[in-house]
Amino acid sequence: MPYPFTLPALPYAYDALEPYIDARTMEIHHTKHHQAYIDNLNKALAHHPELHHLEVAELIAHIDKLPADIATAVRNNGGGHYNHSLFWQMMATGKATQVPQELSMLINRDVGSLQNVQSQMSAAALARFGSGWAWLSLNPEDRLVITSTPNQDSPVQEGLRPILGLDVWEHAYYLKYQNKRADYIQAWWHVVNWDYVYQLYESVR
Ligand code: MN3
């Protein structure tokens, strides 16, 4: 849905991901942080009606072509809206152990094993200094790659197609895990929605 952007409803209750992600964190993350990205994105675009037909993924894929007065605002807040819209759907309960077979084969081919995906993404997430994300994406050669991005930058800005993302901003875990990012990362693997990751893969392949 293009401008004006609105907050998508979560596909589950705020407490659905307990005990791995606590309800208070989910509620603040969704209603305050994600909402703020949307509000700031709409504000930036308000005086640029020529951009109102574009989806957020289209806006952030070509930051260099945006009007200079809003490029940074769209990069940060458009990225925030895009990344979080995916992130909520990438999580669920009861979907963390079963990777659809076709995706599993692709993972084995390109990364070696699911365990490698988990350890390499976790390492990328842990090594991200300050705020950012770790990602599993398809590259232009249709190979799975693991990367990380700072702030709210998205793999789409680098020509990649993200299918799984891990938010390691402190707002994603600080209430429950404080400074223990590694503990949050380890817990997060219990709530990955591999069915959705596969759906996303199907939609971008
Ligand atoms: Mn976040």
Coordinates of all heavy atoms in Angstrom, one line a residue, residues 5 33-44 56 60 63 70-84 152-153:
F5 N 1.1 5.9 4.3 CA 1.5 4.6 4.9 C 0.8 4.5 6.3 O 0.7 5.5 7.0 CB 3.0 4.5 5.0 CG 3.6 4.4 3.7 CD1 4.2 5.6 3.1 CD2 3.6 3.3 2.9 CE1 4.8 5.6 1.9 CE2 4.2 3.3 1.6 CZ 4.8 4.4 1.1
H33 N 7.7 2.5 18.0 CA 8.8 2.6 17.1 C 8.4 2.5 15.6 O 8.7 3.3 14.8 CB 9.9 1.5 17.4 CG 10.6 1.8 18.7 ND1 11.6 2.6 18.8 CD2 10.3 1.3 19.9 CE1 12.0 2.7 20.1 NE2 11.2 1.9 20.8
H34 N 7.7 1.4 15.3 CA 7.2 1.3 13.9 C 6.3 2.4 13.5 O 6.4 3.0 12.4 CB 6.5 -0.1 13.7 CG 6.3 -0.4 12.2 ND1 5.8 -1.6 11.9 CD2 6.4 0.3 11.1 CE1 5.6 -1.6 10.5 NE2 6.0 -0.5 10.1
Q35 N 5.4 2.8 14.4 CA 4.5 3.9 14.1 C 5.3 5.2 13.8 O 4.9 6.0 12.9 CB 3.5 4.2 15.2 CG 2.5 5.3 15.0 CD 1.5 4.9 13.9 OE1 0.7 3.9 14.1 NE2 1.4 5.6 12.8
A36 N 6.3 5.4 14.5 CA 7.1 6.7 14.4 C 7.8 6.7 13.0 O 7.9 7.7 12.3 CB 8.2 6.8 15.5
Y37 N 8.3 5.5 12.5 CA 8.9 5.5 11.2 C 7.8 5.8 10.1 O 8.1 6.6 9.2 CB 9.4 4.1 10.9 CG 10.6 3.7 11.7 CD1 10.5 2.5 12.5 CD2 11.7 4.4 11.8 CE1 11.6 2.1 13.3 CE2 12.8 4.0 12.6 CZ 12.7 2.9 13.4 OH 13.8 2.5 14.2
I38 N 6.6 5.3 10.3 CA 5.5 5.6 9.4 C 5.1 7.1 9.4 O 5.0 7.7 8.3 CB 4.3 4.7 9.7 CG1 4.6 3.3 9.4 CG2 3.0 5.2 9.0 CD1 3.7 2.3 10.0
D39 N 5.0 7.6 10.6 CA 4.6 9.1 10.7 C 5.7 10.0 10.0 O 5.3 10.9 9.3 CB 4.5 9.5 12.2 CG 3.3 8.8 12.8 OD1 2.4 8.3 12.1 OD2 3.2 8.8 14.1
N40 N 6.9 9.6 10.3 CA 8.0 10.5 9.7 C 8.2 10.3 8.2 O 8.5 11.2 7.5 CB 9.3 10.1 10.4 CG 9.3 10.7 11.9 OD1 8.7 11.7 12.2 ND2 10.0 10.0 12.8
L41 N 7.9 9.1 7.7 CA 7.9 8.8 6.3 C 6.8 9.6 5.6 O 7.0 10.3 4.6 CB 7.7 7.3 6.0 CG 7.6 6.9 4.6 CD1 8.9 7.3 3.8 CD2 7.4 5.4 4.4
N42 N 5.6 9.6 6.2 CA 4.4 10.3 5.6 C 4.7 11.8 5.6 O 4.4 12.5 4.7 CB 3.2 10.0 6.4 CG 2.6 8.6 6.1 OD1 2.9 8.1 5.0 ND2 1.9 8.1 7.0
K43 N 5.3 12.3 6.7 CA 5.7 13.7 6.8 C 6.6 14.1 5.7 O 6.5 15.2 5.1 CB 6.3 14.0 8.2 CG 6.2 15.4 8.7 CD 6.5 15.4 10.2 CE 7.5 16.5 10.5 NZ 8.1 16.5 11.8
A44 N 7.6 13.3 5.5 CA 8.6 13.6 4.5 C 8.0 13.6 3.1 O 8.4 14.5 2.3 CB 9.8 12.5 4.5
V56 N 6.7 1.4 -0.6 CA 7.9 1.7 0.2 C 9.1 1.0 -0.3 O 10.2 1.6 -0.3 CB 7.6 1.5 1.8 CG1 7.5 0.0 2.1 CG2 8.7 2.1 2.6
I60 N 12.7 3.0 -1.3 CA 14.0 2.8 -0.7 C 15.0 2.1 -1.6 O 16.2 2.1 -1.3 CB 13.9 2.0 0.7 CG1 13.3 0.6 0.5 CG2 13.2 2.8 1.7 CD1 13.5 -0.3 1.7
I63 N 17.2 5.3 -3.5 CA 17.4 6.5 -2.6 C 18.1 7.6 -3.4 O 17.8 8.8 -3.2 CB 18.3 6.2 -1.4 CG1 17.6 5.1 -0.5 CG2 18.6 7.4 -0.6 CD1 16.5 5.5 0.3
I70 N 14.5 15.0 1.0 CA 13.9 14.0 1.7 C 14.6 12.6 1.6 O 14.2 11.6 2.2 CB 12.4 13.8 1.3 CG1 12.3 13.4 -0.2 CG2 11.6 15.0 1.6 CD1 11.0 12.8 -0.6
A71 N 15.7 12.6 1.0 CA 16.4 11.3 0.7 C 16.8 10.6 2.1 O 16.6 9.4 2.3 CB 17.7 11.5 -0.1
T72 N 17.4 11.4 3.0 CA 17.8 10.8 4.3 C 16.5 10.3 5.1 O 16.6 9.3 5.7 CB 18.6 11.8 5.1 OG1 19.8 12.1 4.3 CG2 19.1 11.2 6.4
A73 N 15.5 11.2 5.1 CA 14.3 10.8 5.9 C 13.6 9.6 5.3 O 13.2 8.7 6.0 CB 13.3 12.0 5.8
V74 N 13.6 9.4 4.0 CA 13.0 8.2 3.4 C 13.9 7.0 3.6 O 13.4 5.9 3.9 CB 12.8 8.4 1.8 CG1 12.4 7.1 1.2 CG2 11.7 9.5 1.6
R75 N 15.2 7.2 3.5 CA 16.2 6.1 3.8 C 15.9 5.5 5.2 O 15.8 4.3 5.4 CB 17.6 6.6 3.6 CG 18.6 5.5 3.9 CD 20.0 6.1 3.8 NE 21.0 5.1 3.8 CZ 22.3 5.2 3.3 NH1 22.6 6.3 2.8 NH2 23.1 4.2 3.4
N76 N 15.9 6.4 6.2 CA 15.8 6.0 7.6 C 14.3 5.5 7.9 O 14.2 4.4 8.5 CB 16.1 7.1 8.5 CG 17.6 7.4 8.5 OD1 18.4 6.5 8.1 ND2 18.0 8.6 8.8
N77 N 13.3 6.3 7.5 CA 12.0 6.0 8.0 C 11.3 5.0 7.0 O 10.5 4.2 7.4 CB 11.2 7.3 8.2 CG 11.8 8.1 9.3 OD1 11.7 7.7 10.4 ND2 12.4 9.2 8.9
G78 N 11.6 5.2 5.7 CA 11.0 4.2 4.7 C 11.6 2.8 5.0 O 11.0 1.8 5.0
G79 N 12.9 2.8 5.3 CA 13.6 1.6 5.6 C 13.0 1.0 6.9 O 12.8 -0.2 7.0
G80 N 12.8 1.8 7.9 CA 12.2 1.4 9.1 C 10.8 0.8 8.9 O 10.5 -0.3 9.5
H81 N 10.0 1.4 8.1 CA 8.7 0.9 7.8 C 8.8 -0.4 7.1 O 8.1 -1.4 7.4 CB 7.9 1.9 7.0 CG 6.5 1.4 6.6 ND1 5.7 0.6 7.4 CD2 5.8 1.6 5.5 CE1 4.6 0.3 6.8 NE2 4.6 0.9 5.6
Y82 N 9.6 -0.5 6.0 CA 9.7 -1.7 5.2 C 10.3 -2.9 6.1 O 9.7 -4.0 6.1 CB 10.7 -1.4 4.0 CG 10.9 -2.6 3.2 CD1 9.9 -3.1 2.3 CD2 12.1 -3.3 3.2 CE1 10.2 -4.2 1.5 CE2 12.4 -4.4 2.4 CZ 11.4 -4.8 1.5 OH 11.6 -5.9 0.7
N83 N 11.4 -2.6 6.8 CA 12.0 -3.7 7.5 C 11.1 -4.3 8.6 O 11.0 -5.5 8.8 CB 13.3 -3.2 8.2 CG 14.4 -2.9 7.2 OD1 14.3 -3.3 6.1 ND2 15.3 -2.0 7.6
H84 N 10.4 -3.4 9.3 CA 9.5 -3.9 10.4 C 8.3 -4.6 9.8 O 7.8 -5.5 10.4 CB 9.1 -2.7 11.3 CG 10.2 -2.3 12.2 ND1 11.2 -1.4 11.8 CD2 10.6 -2.7 13.5 CE1 12.1 -1.3 12.8 NE2 11.8 -2.1 13.8
Q152 N 18.5 1.6 9.6 CA 17.3 1.0 9.0 C 17.6 0.7 7.5 O 16.7 0.6 6.7 CB 16.1 1.8 9.2 CG 15.6 1.9 10.6 CD 15.2 0.5 11.2 OE1 15.1 -0.5 10.5 NE2 14.9 0.5 12.5
D153 N 18.8 0.7 7.1 CA 19.1 0.3 5.7 C 18.6 -1.1 5.4 O 18.6 -1.9 6.3 CB 20.6 0.4 5.5 CG 21.1 1.8 5.3 OD1 20.3 2.8 5.5 OD2 22.3 2.0 5.1

